[in-house]
Coordinates of all heavy atoms in Angstrom, one line a residue:
H44 N 42.1 8.1 13.5 CA 41.2 8.6 14.5 C 41.6 10.0 14.9 O 42.8 10.3 14.8 CB 41.1 7.7 15.7 CG 40.0 8.1 16.6 ND1 40.3 8.9 17.7 CD2 38.7 7.9 16.6 CE1 39.1 9.2 18.3 NE2 38.1 8.5 17.7
N45 N 40.7 10.8 15.4 CA 41.0 12.2 15.8 C 42.0 12.3 16.9 O 42.5 13.4 17.2 CB 39.7 12.8 16.3 CG 38.7 13.1 15.2 OD1 39.2 13.6 14.1 ND2 37.4 12.9 15.4
Y46 N 42.3 11.2 17.6 CA 43.3 11.2 18.7 C 44.7 10.9 18.3 O 45.6 10.8 19.1 CB 42.9 10.2 19.8 CG 41.5 10.5 20.5 CD1 40.9 9.4 21.2 CD2 40.9 11.7 20.5 CE1 39.7 9.6 21.9 CE2 39.7 11.9 21.1 CZ 39.1 10.8 21.8 OH 37.9 11.0 22.5
G59 N 38.8 11.1 11.5 CA 37.4 11.3 12.0 C 37.2 10.5 13.3 O 38.1 10.0 13.9
D60 N 35.9 10.4 13.6 CA 35.5 9.7 14.8 C 35.2 8.3 14.5 O 35.3 7.9 13.3 CB 34.3 10.4 15.5 CG 33.0 10.3 14.7 OD1 33.0 9.8 13.6 OD2 32.0 10.7 15.3
S61 N 34.8 7.5 15.5 CA 34.6 6.0 15.2 C 33.6 5.8 14.2 O 33.7 4.9 13.3 CB 34.2 5.3 16.5 OG 35.1 5.7 17.6
L62 N 32.5 6.6 14.2 CA 31.4 6.4 13.2 C 31.9 6.7 11.8 O 31.7 5.9 10.9 CB 30.2 7.2 13.6 CG 28.9 7.0 12.8 CD1 28.4 5.6 12.8 CD2 27.8 8.0 13.2
G63 N 32.5 7.8 11.7 CA 33.0 8.3 10.4 C 34.0 7.3 9.8 O 34.0 7.0 8.6
L64 N 34.9 6.8 10.7 CA 35.9 5.8 10.2 C 35.3 4.5 9.8 O 35.7 4.0 8.8 CB 36.9 5.6 11.4 CG 37.8 6.7 11.7 CD1 38.5 6.5 13.1 CD2 38.9 7.0 10.6
S65 N 34.3 4.1 10.5 CA 33.6 2.8 10.1 C 32.9 3.1 8.7 O 32.9 2.2 7.9 CB 32.5 2.4 11.1 OG 33.1 2.3 12.4
R66 N 32.3 4.3 8.6 CA 31.7 4.5 7.3 C 32.7 4.6 6.1 O 32.4 4.0 5.1 CB 30.9 5.9 7.3 CG 29.8 5.9 8.3 CD 28.6 6.7 7.7 NE 27.4 6.4 8.3 CZ 26.8 7.1 9.3 NH1 27.4 8.2 9.7 NH2 25.7 6.7 9.9
V130 N 22.9 -3.5 23.7 CA 23.5 -2.4 22.9 C 24.9 -2.2 23.3 O 25.2 -2.0 24.5 CB 22.7 -1.1 23.2 CG1 23.3 0.1 22.4 CG2 21.2 -1.3 22.8
V131 N 25.9 -2.4 22.4 CA 27.3 -2.2 22.8 C 27.9 -1.0 22.0 O 27.5 -0.7 20.9 CB 28.1 -3.4 22.6 CG1 27.6 -4.6 23.5 CG2 28.2 -3.8 21.1
Y132 N 28.7 -0.3 22.7 CA 29.5 0.8 22.2 C 30.5 0.2 21.1 O 30.9 -1.0 21.3 CB 30.3 1.4 23.3 CG 30.9 2.8 23.1 CD1 30.4 3.7 22.1 CD2 32.0 3.2 23.8 CE1 31.0 4.9 21.9 CE2 32.6 4.4 23.7 CZ 32.1 5.3 22.7 OH 32.7 6.5 22.5
V133 N 30.9 0.9 20.1 CA 31.8 0.4 19.1 C 33.1 0.1 19.8 O 33.9 -0.8 19.3 CB 31.9 1.5 18.0 CG1 32.6 2.7 18.5 CG2 32.6 0.9 16.8
N134 N 33.5 0.6 20.9 CA 34.7 0.3 21.7 C 34.5 -1.0 22.4 O 34.5 -1.1 23.6 CB 35.0 1.4 22.7 CG 35.3 2.7 22.1 OD1 34.6 3.2 21.2 ND2 36.3 3.4 22.7
C146 N 25.1 -2.0 17.7 CA 26.3 -1.4 18.1 C 26.1 0.1 17.9 O 25.3 0.6 17.1 CB 27.4 -1.9 17.0 SG 29.0 -1.3 17.4
V147 N 26.7 0.9 18.8 CA 26.5 2.4 18.7 C 27.9 3.1 18.8 O 28.8 2.5 19.3 CB 25.6 2.9 19.8 CG1 24.2 2.3 19.7 CG2 26.2 2.7 21.2
T148 N 27.9 4.3 18.4 CA 29.1 5.2 18.7 C 28.6 6.3 19.6 O 27.3 6.5 19.7 CB 29.8 5.7 17.5 OG1 28.9 6.7 16.9 CG2 30.1 4.7 16.5
S149 N 29.5 7.2 20.0 CA 29.0 8.3 20.8 C 28.2 9.3 20.0 O 27.4 10.0 20.5 CB 30.2 9.1 21.5 OG 31.1 9.4 20.4
G150 N 28.4 9.1 18.6 CA 27.6 10.0 17.7 C 26.2 9.6 17.5 O 25.4 10.4 17.1
N151 N 25.8 8.3 17.7 CA 24.4 7.9 17.5 C 23.8 7.1 18.6 O 22.7 6.5 18.4 CB 24.3 7.2 16.1 CG 25.1 5.9 16.1 OD1 25.5 5.4 17.1 ND2 25.2 5.4 14.9
A152 N 24.4 7.0 19.7 CA 23.9 6.1 20.8 C 22.5 6.5 21.2 O 21.6 5.7 21.4 CB 24.9 6.2 22.0
V153 N 22.3 7.8 21.3 CA 21.0 8.3 21.8 C 19.9 7.9 20.8 O 18.8 7.4 21.1 CB 21.0 9.9 22.0 CG1 19.6 10.4 22.3 CG2 21.9 10.2 23.2
Q154 N 20.2 8.2 19.5 CA 19.2 7.9 18.5 C 18.8 6.4 18.4 O 17.7 6.0 18.3 CB 19.7 8.3 17.1 CG 19.6 9.8 16.8 CD 20.6 10.2 15.7 OE1 21.8 10.2 16.0 NE2 20.1 10.4 14.5
I155 N 19.9 5.6 18.6 CA 19.6 4.1 18.5 C 18.8 3.7 19.7 O 17.8 2.9 19.5 CB 21.0 3.4 18.3 CG1 21.5 3.6 16.9 CG2 20.8 1.8 18.6 CD1 22.7 2.9 16.5
V156 N 19.1 4.1 20.9 CA 18.3 3.7 22.0 C 16.9 4.2 21.9 O 15.9 3.5 22.3 CB 19.0 4.1 23.4 CG1 18.1 3.9 24.6 CG2 20.3 3.3 23.5
Q157 N 16.7 5.4 21.4 CA 15.4 6.0 21.2 C 14.6 5.1 20.3 O 13.3 5.0 20.4 CB 15.5 7.4 20.6 CG 15.2 8.5 21.6 CD 15.8 9.8 21.2 OE1 16.5 9.9 20.1 NE2 15.6 10.8 22.0
F167 N 23.3 -1.8 28.3 CA 24.1 -0.8 27.6 C 25.5 -1.0 28.1 O 25.8 -0.8 29.3 CB 23.6 0.6 27.8 CG 24.3 1.6 26.8 CD1 23.6 2.0 25.7 CD2 25.5 2.1 27.1 CE1 24.2 2.9 24.8 CE2 26.2 3.0 26.2 CZ 25.5 3.4 25.1
D170 N 30.5 1.4 28.5 CA 30.9 2.7 29.1 C 29.8 3.2 30.0 O 28.7 3.6 29.5 CB 31.3 3.7 28.0 CG 31.9 4.9 28.7 OD1 31.1 5.9 29.1 OD2 33.1 5.0 28.8
L173 N 28.9 7.1 29.2 CA 28.1 7.3 27.9 C 26.6 6.8 28.2 O 25.6 7.4 27.8 CB 28.7 6.5 26.8 CG 27.9 6.5 25.5 CD1 27.8 7.9 24.9 CD2 28.5 5.6 24.4
A174 N 26.5 5.7 29.0 CA 25.2 5.1 29.3 C 24.4 6.1 30.1 O 23.2 6.3 29.9 CB 25.4 3.8 30.1
H176 N 24.6 9.3 30.0 CA 24.2 10.4 29.0 C 23.0 9.9 28.2 O 22.1 10.6 28.1 CB 25.4 10.6 28.1 CG 25.1 11.5 26.9 ND1 24.7 12.8 27.0 CD2 25.2 11.2 25.6 CE1 24.5 13.3 25.8 NE2 24.8 12.3 24.9
V177 N 23.1 8.6 27.8 CA 21.9 8.1 27.0 C 20.7 8.0 27.9 O 19.6 8.4 27.4 CB 22.3 6.7 26.4 CG1 21.1 6.1 25.7 CG2 23.5 6.9 25.4
Q180 N 19.3 11.5 28.1 CA 18.7 12.0 26.9 C 17.4 11.3 26.5 O 16.5 11.9 25.8 CB 19.7 11.9 25.7 CG 20.9 12.8 25.9 CD 20.6 14.2 25.7 OE1 20.0 14.6 24.7 NE2 21.0 15.0 26.7
T181 N 17.3 10.0 26.8 CA 16.2 9.3 26.3 C 15.1 9.1 27.4 O 14.0 8.7 27.1 CB 16.6 7.8 25.8 OG1 17.2 7.2 27.0 CG2 17.6 7.9 24.7
I217 N 32.6 18.8 25.5 CA 32.8 17.6 26.4 C 32.3 16.3 25.7 O 31.2 16.2 25.2 CB 32.0 17.8 27.7 CG1 32.4 19.1 28.4 CG2 32.2 16.6 28.7 CD1 31.7 19.3 29.8
H218 N 33.2 15.3 25.8 CA 32.9 14.0 25.3 C 32.1 13.2 26.3 O 32.4 13.2 27.5 CB 34.2 13.2 24.9 CG 34.0 12.0 24.0 ND1 33.6 10.8 24.5 CD2 34.0 11.9 22.7 CE1 33.4 10.0 23.5 NE2 33.7 10.6 22.4
P219 N 31.0 12.4 25.8 CA 30.2 11.7 26.8 C 30.9 10.6 27.6 O 30.4 10.1 28.6 CB 29.1 11.1 26.0 CG 29.5 11.2 24.6 CD 30.5 12.3 24.5
E220 N 32.1 10.2 27.2 CA 32.9 9.2 27.9 C 33.5 9.8 29.2 O 34.1 9.1 30.0 CB 34.0 8.6 27.1 CG 33.6 7.5 26.1 CD 34.8 7.0 25.3 OE1 35.9 7.0 25.8 OE2 34.6 6.7 24.2
R235 N 25.3 20.5 25.5 CA 25.3 19.3 24.6 C 26.6 18.6 24.8 O 27.7 19.3 24.8 CB 25.1 19.7 23.2 CG 23.7 19.5 22.7 CD 23.6 19.9 21.2 NE 24.4 19.0 20.4 CZ 24.9 19.4 19.2 NH1 24.7 20.6 18.7 NH2 25.6 18.5 18.5
L236 N 26.6 17.3 24.9 CA 27.9 16.5 24.9 C 28.2 16.1 23.4 O 27.2 16.0 22.6 CB 27.8 15.3 25.8 CG 27.4 15.5 27.2 CD1 27.4 14.2 28.0 CD2 28.4 16.6 27.9
H237 N 29.5 16.0 23.1 CA 29.8 15.8 21.7 C 30.7 14.6 21.4 O 31.7 14.4 22.2 CB 30.5 17.0 21.1 CG 29.8 18.2 21.2 ND1 28.9 18.6 20.2 CD2 29.8 19.2 22.1 CE1 28.3 19.8 20.5 NE2 28.8 20.2 21.7
S238 N 30.4 13.8 20.4 CA 31.4 12.8 19.9 C 32.5 13.7 19.3 O 32.4 14.9 19.1 CB 30.8 12.0 18.7 OG 30.7 12.8 17.6
T239 N 33.6 13.1 19.0 CA 34.8 13.9 18.6 C 34.4 14.6 17.3 O 34.8 15.8 17.1 CB 36.1 13.0 18.5 OG1 35.8 12.0 17.6 CG2 36.5 12.5 19.8
E240 N 33.7 14.0 16.4 CA 33.4 14.6 15.1 C 32.4 15.8 15.3 O 32.5 16.8 14.7 CB 32.8 13.6 14.1 CG 32.9 14.0 12.7 CD 34.3 14.3 12.2 OE1 35.2 13.7 12.7 OE2 34.5 15.2 11.4
S241 N 31.5 15.5 16.2 CA 30.5 16.6 16.5 C 31.1 17.8 17.1 O 30.7 19.0 17.0 CB 29.4 16.0 17.3 OG 28.7 16.9 18.1
M242 N 32.3 17.6 17.8 CA 33.0 18.8 18.4 C 33.5 19.7 17.2 O 33.4 20.9 17.3 CB 34.3 18.3 19.1 CG 34.0 17.7 20.5 SD 35.5 17.3 21.4 CE 34.7 16.5 22.8
V243 N 33.9 19.1 16.1 CA 34.4 19.9 15.0 C 33.2 20.7 14.4 O 33.3 21.9 14.2 CB 35.0 19.0 13.9 CG1 35.5 19.8 12.7 CG2 36.2 18.2 14.5
T244 N 32.1 20.0 14.1 CA 30.9 20.7 13.6 C 30.5 21.8 14.5 O 30.2 22.9 14.0 CB 29.8 19.7 13.4 OG1 30.3 18.4 13.0 CG2 28.7 20.1 12.4
R322 N 23.6 -1.9 11.7 CA 22.5 -1.1 12.3 C 23.1 0.2 12.8 O 22.5 1.3 12.7 CB 21.9 -1.9 13.5 CG 21.0 -3.0 13.0 CD 20.5 -3.8 14.2 NE 19.4 -4.7 13.8 CZ 19.0 -5.7 14.5 NH1 19.6 -6.0 15.7 NH2 18.0 -6.4 14.1
M323 N 24.4 0.2 13.3 CA 25.1 1.4 13.7 C 25.3 2.4 12.5 O 25.1 3.6 12.6 CB 26.4 1.0 14.3 CG 27.3 2.2 14.6 SD 28.9 1.6 15.2 CE 29.8 1.3 13.7
L324 N 25.7 1.8 11.4 CA 26.0 2.6 10.2 C 24.7 3.2 9.6 O 24.8 4.3 9.0 CB 26.7 1.8 9.1 CG 28.1 1.3 9.5 CD1 28.7 0.4 8.5 CD2 29.0 2.5 9.8
A325 N 23.6 2.5 9.8 CA 22.3 3.0 9.2 C 21.7 4.2 9.9 O 20.9 5.0 9.4 CB 21.3 1.9 9.2
I326 N 22.1 4.5 11.2 CA 21.5 5.5 12.0 C 22.5 6.6 12.4 O 23.6 6.3 12.8 CB 20.8 5.0 13.2 CG1 19.8 4.0 12.9 CG2 20.2 6.1 14.1 CD1 19.0 3.4 14.0
G327 N 22.2 7.8 12.2 CA 23.0 8.9 12.8 C 23.9 9.6 11.8 O 24.1 9.1 10.7

Side-chain angles (χ1 to χ4, degrees):
H44 188 266
N45 287 322
Y46 297 160
D60 68 353
S61 311
L62 185 59
L64 289 167
S65 303
R66 291 218 163 102
V130 179
V131 298
Y132 194 27
V133 69
N134 298 40
C146 187
V147 299
T148 70
S149 54
N151 65 10
V153 170
Q154 283 159 284
I155 288 185
V156 170
Q157 257 158 357
F167 191 100
D170 189 273
L173 177 63
H176 168 64
V177 173
Q180 294 292 308
T181 61
I217 303 186
H218 194 277
E220 279 178 32
R235 261 182 63 205
L236 304 183
H237 298 277
S238 75
T239 57
E240 200 57 33
S241 152
M242 287 184 182
V243 179
T244 322
R322 286 175 168 162
M323 167 184 87
L324 294 176
I326 300 183

